[in-house]
Amino acid sequence: MRFLYACFVIVLCALIFCEYVADFVVLQKCKWPEIKRKKYVDDPLRAMILADPHLLGPHRGHWLDKLYREWHMTRAFQAASRLFQPDVVFVLGDLFDEGDMVSDKQFQEYVWRYLKMFHLPPGIPLISVAGNHDVGFHYKMHPFFMSRFESYLNNSSVNLYTIKQIHFVVINSMAMEADGCMFCTQAEDQLKNISRTLHCMKYPLEAECARTRRHPYSQPIILQHFPTYRISDTMCEEHDAPYIEAFRERFHVLSKDATDMLGELLKPRLAFAGHSHHFCHSVNRLGIDEYTVASFSWRNKVNPSFMLATITPDDYVVSKCKMLPQQFVFNSYLSAGILCLIVIGFQLRKCIQRRRQSSAADHRKVN
């Protein structure tokens, strides 16, 4: 019976390590990037940025896939939030895999599950960006989808957030078609209002700026689901896509016109996006650093990652944080299984040897 006890200990150790400890071990390698300039270093903003968790819904995907991969997303996020203690967390769209396919009751259950998985301590905001799987592509957007996303997650179109004097503009990429649709017109109006607000922060003494919020001005940071226009990941200075795919405007990336409009109205200094499921760092069409954040889910990427950004009003440093790879967990369980087989084989060999020795002894007694 000792070999059964040994196998039980091996499997239990593998289970505890893979499901409760490994995320902390892997994420210990990540650290907040440090700004070397002395100004503002005493109190920088620390933002954790992830994308495309794609929580499975009732229609697609196997229940075991849903259970196991979402369990690991939860473990990874909780380990990261405890280790890094960010000031704010941004999720760059496609929170749900079937957000534009479910009933209102199912969507409510979706949101409950999402907020439970990505739970943060009080005082740390979780800012969720709309993605095409949440409210549909441009052709599918409907007031019903848009209003319920906004009512449950407090964001659906264009919003300006100011945290520690850092200005973030969160954008609904699907409303950037500029074709005169209701959502596009509304988004453009909101962008123009934000542009005026930023202008008044920069020039507070102008007459038209008398009633504007008195935050100090700094160039804003764009956060959205679609990347700004690029032809493919060949434009990236760094990327981890396994193959290069040509990108379509308005489907994989924003159009040239929408990208130029954002540059003209907002004059941003930095941009973050998701959607492609792969990491990319590029200098985009606007001449600024843009980071496309990889998917947070094993279902979309076997080696997921997220971004850590240290930001001040006049500087920023960004680093990529690699998460627990799916293959590592599989290999750990495979190794535990092989080790159990070795223990069982060794025990069987001992039993066979004992029987042979016993048979030989009985044979000698007979003779």
Side-chain angles (χ1 to χ4, degrees):
M1 293 297 292
R2 287 183 180 178
F3 76 96
L4 291 177
Y5 176 74
C7 284
F8 174 76
V9 171
I10 291 168
V11 171
L12 182 62
C13 288
L15 185 70
I16 293 172
F17 179 75
C18 290
E19 306 303 325
Y20 294 95
V21 179
D23 286 296
F24 286 94
V25 173
V26 171
L27 292 175
Q28 286 284 355
K29 299 175 184 177
C30 300
K31 297 190 182 300
W32 286 108
E34 294 185 5
I35 292 177
K36 296 180 180 178
R37 293 174 60 189
K38 293 183 179 180
K39 192 176 182 181
Y40 299 114
V41 168
D42 290 340
D43 191 26
L45 175 73
R46 291 187 168 90
M48 190 164 83
I49 304 164
L50 53 107
D52 297 88
H54 279 269
L55 304 192
L56 286 173
H59 305 298
R60 296 193 294 226
H62 193 273
W63 67 268
L64 185 59
D65 175 33
K66 178 178 175 180
L67 175 69
Y68 190 63
R69 285 176 171 161
E70 289 188 7
W71 160 259
H72 267 280
M73 268 199 288
T74 305
R75 298 302 309 163
F77 182 80
Q78 293 304 324
S81 63
R82 289 178 187 176
L83 285 171
F84 303 123
Q85 298 181 353
D87 297 313
V88 60
V89 176
F90 294 97
V91 185
L92 303 183
D94 283 358
L95 323 178
F96 316 119
D97 194 57
E98 302 172 19
D100 59 341
M101 298 170 59
V102 295
S103 67
D104 198 43
K105 183 179 178 181
Q106 290 169 328
F107 190 81
Q108 187 176 3
E109 292 170 353
Y110 237 156
V111 172
W112 177 83
R113 201 164 93 235
Y114 167 73
L115 294 177
K116 184 178 179 182
M117 288 174 62
F118 295 95
H119 174 73
L120 288 165
I124 301 177
L126 176 69
I127 299 176
S128 305
V129 182
N132 56 283
H133 279 267
D134 303 316
V135 298
F137 277 107
H138 176 262
Y139 68 88
K140 195 178 180 181
M141 281 196 303
H142 187 278
F144 175 73
F145 295 145
M146 300 292 288
S147 63
R148 75 177 180 184
F149 189 91
E150 183 172 11
S151 64
Y152 284 114
L153 295 159
N154 301 318
N155 177 41
S156 66
S157 190
V158 180
N159 297 90
L160 173 64
Y161 295 92
T162 299
I163 308 171
K164 287 190 176 182
Q165 301 182 14
I166 314 297
H167 308 302
F168 298 96
V169 182
V170 175
I171 297 167
N172 177 357
S173 301
M174 290 67 67
M176 292 290 106
E177 293 286 318
D179 62 356
C181 81
M182 177 180 67
F183 302 113
C184 298
T185 302
Q186 181 185 24
E188 287 179 36
D189 288 343
Q190 289 171 327
L191 279 172
K192 290 174 182 176
N193 287 336
I194 290 171
S195 179
R196 283 192 289 269
T197 299
L198 292 168
H199 174 83
C200 287
M201 290 179 188
K202 190 173 183 180
Y203 304 104
L205 298 180
E206 290 186 4
E208 64 182 33
C209 299
R211 297 182 180 180
T212 302
R213 288 176 292 179
R214 297 294 181 178
H215 290 298
Y217 174 77
S218 64
Q219 284 183 278
I221 296 168
I222 293 176
L223 300 117
Q224 59 185 338
H225 185 58
F226 288 179
T228 57
Y229 177 79
R230 67 174 184 262
I231 58 172
S232 71
D233 279 353
T234 55
M235 309 291 290
C236 305
E237 295 182 359
E238 303 171 74
H239 71 85
D240 65 4
Y243 58 89
I244 299 299
E245 178 184 6
F247 291 158
R248 253 169 56 199
E249 290 184 77
R250 300 180 174 88
F251 186 79
H252 297 107
V253 294
L254 292 184
S255 67
K256 294 177 185 176
D257 291 341
T259 300
D260 293 343
M261 178 180 67
L262 292 180
E264 181 181 349
L265 290 175
L266 301 176
K267 297 177 177 55
R269 57 176 167 142
L270 177 64
F272 292 95
H275 190 54
S276 75
H277 297 172
H278 303 298
F279 168 76
C280 166
H281 170 217
S282 67
V283 176
N284 68 10
R285 183 179 173 85
L286 305 178
I288 62 173
D289 283 320
E290 179 168 1
Y291 293 89
T292 305
V293 184
S295 175
F296 199 69
S297 172
W298 277 354
R299 187 166 176 259
N300 300 319
K301 195 167 182 67
V302 295
N303 54 340
S305 61
F306 59 93
M307 308 301 298
L308 296 174
T310 304
I311 308 169
T312 67
D314 69 342
D315 207 351
Y316 60 85
V317 189
V318 178
S319 67
K320 175 184 174 184
C321 188
K322 295 181 180 179
M323 294 158 56
L324 177 67
Q326 181 175 253
Q327 194 61 45
F328 177 87
V329 175
F330 290 166
N331 290 345
S332 297
Y333 283 128
L334 181 62
S335 299
I338 291 171
L339 190 57
C340 280
L341 291 176
I342 291 171
V343 170
I344 292 170
F346 181 75
Q347 187 65 31
L348 288 174
R349 184 180 176 186
K350 286 178 65 177
C351 289
I352 292 171
Q353 287 176 343
R354 286 173 185 169
R355 287 184 179 180
R356 285 178 177 173
Q357 290 171 357
S358 178
S359 297
D362 290 342
H363 183 71
R364 283 195 297 270
K365 287 180 180 178
V366 170
N367 292 336

